[in-house]
Amino acid sequence: GQNIDQPTEMTATEGAIVQINCTYQTSGFNGLFWYQQHAGEAPTFLSYNVLDGLEEKGRFSSFLSRSKGYSYLLLKELQMKDSASYLCAVRDAWNSGNTPLVFGKGTRLSVIA
Amino acid sequence: DAMVIQNPRYQVTQFGKPVTLSCSQTLNHNVMYWYQQKSSQAPKLLFHYYDKDFNNEADTPDNFQSRRPNTSFCFLDIRSPGLGDAAMYLCATSRGSGEETQYFGPGTRLLVL
């Protein structure tokens, strides 16, 4: 089966750092994605991990441990505009060009002053 | 700019009245996806096309159909919308090889009266 777990909600203060965790159980693994989704809008791509380790992109970093079925998204220097849902998604097949993603339910992050 | 376009952004229909949602892309991607997303839930894949090859998810209701007349366009037809079909419908595309980042359109919010 497929299961992706992430916290439902988180709150953090402007200027702080927040870590959003994601654990997954899938039959295969061929990459993990993080998307940001503002209310009423489409998801936008943030990061992609397929190998273990940390990928850094400006204020956003994403980490993957395949052996643990675990990833996190790290947001630094939080801004009010970072208030959004953050979706973890896994591609659960090997070397397949068109395997769809399996999405978690998303973590709703609220940034407060 | 290369992009994924969805029309209309908001669609109101009556219970049982057929409705068609459209998606177009200028990315020249091979794969196009349709997702249904209800409030505070993960996007749920309905079906996807790899070029002209249609892939239907096992739990997608028969009420939902799709057409892809060419590379650029893909349509979602809901033959007899029910109240439970009110949702955001997201179209996404991907290259169809390798990394498989999906790029989403802005979505169409469907309201069924």
Side-chain angles (χ1 to χ4, degrees):
Chain A
Q2 302 168 330
N3 193 41
I4 298 179
D5 287 316
Q6 39 181 142
T8 304
E9 292 187 15
M10 297 182 72
T11 301
T13 305
E14 191 176 17
I17 299 172
V18 71
Q19 178 175 311
I20 303 174
N21 296 323
C22 171
T23 57
Y24 62 90
Q25 298 92 37
T26 54
S27 53
F29 180 84
N30 196 14
L32 185 142
F33 298 77
W34 284 96
Y35 283 82
Q36 180 190 61
Q37 186 176 28
H38 285 100
E41 298 182 11
T44 55
F45 170 74
L46 288 178
S47 69
Y48 168 72
N49 295 71
V50 67
L51 300 176
D52 291 350
L54 188 69
E55 295 282 341
E56 297 187 79
K57 191 183 293 185
R59 293 189 300 115
F60 294 70
S61 303
S62 57
F63 172 83
L64 175 67
S65 169
R66 289 172 295 170
S67 63
K68 296 181 179 178
Y70 168 71
S71 172
Y72 67 73
L73 179 69
L74 194 70
L75 291 78
K76 304 175 186 176
E77 301 170 14
L78 280 173
Q79 302 175 10
M80 300 299 282
K81 67 178 182 179
D82 297 329
S83 294
S85 285
Y86 291 85
L87 301 169
C88 175
V90 173
R91 186 169 161 223
D92 76 342
W94 293 99
N95 299 320
S96 176
N98 65 332
T99 305
L101 300 178
V102 179
F103 282 87
K105 291 186 177 181
T107 298
R108 186 176 303 166
L109 174 66
S110 297
V111 179
I112 58 176
Chain B
D1 288 341
M3 57 197 307
V4 182
I5 302 163
Q6 289 187 247
N7 285 305
R9 295 292 308 277
Y10 300 91
Q11 176 73 57
V12 182
T13 191
Q14 292 177 328
F15 182 94
K17 184 175 181 181
V19 66
T20 295
L21 309 181
S22 72
C23 176
S24 63
Q25 54 130 340
T26 60
L27 297 162
N28 203 32
H29 282 172
N30 290 320
V31 193
M32 296 186 77
Y33 309 81
W34 279 105
Y35 290 88
Q36 180 193 63
Q37 187 179 27
K38 297 186 177 180
S39 181
S40 301
Q41 294 187 20
K44 177 182 180 297
L45 183 67
L46 296 173
F47 23 59
H48 73 281
Y49 277 93
Y50 190 100
D51 287 332
K52 295 182 179 180
D53 293 334
F54 178 70
N55 297 270
N56 197 33
E57 293 300 296
D59 57 353
T60 298
D62 292 340
N63 198 26
F64 291 82
Q65 304 286 322
S66 184
R67 296 169 283 137
R68 189 178 186 187
N70 54 52
T71 301
S72 301
F73 285 86
C74 194
F75 299 97
L76 170 62
D77 300 309
I78 308 176
R79 292 191 297 185
S80 182
L83 298 179
D85 296 328
M88 174 76 90
Y89 289 88
L90 298 165
C91 174
T93 72
S94 66
R95 280 196 183 87
S97 59
E99 179 187 307
E100 282 318 288
T101 298
Q102 292 187 17
Y103 298 90
F104 285 82
T108 294
R109 184 168 293 280
L110 178 68
L111 180 63
V112 182
L113 301 177

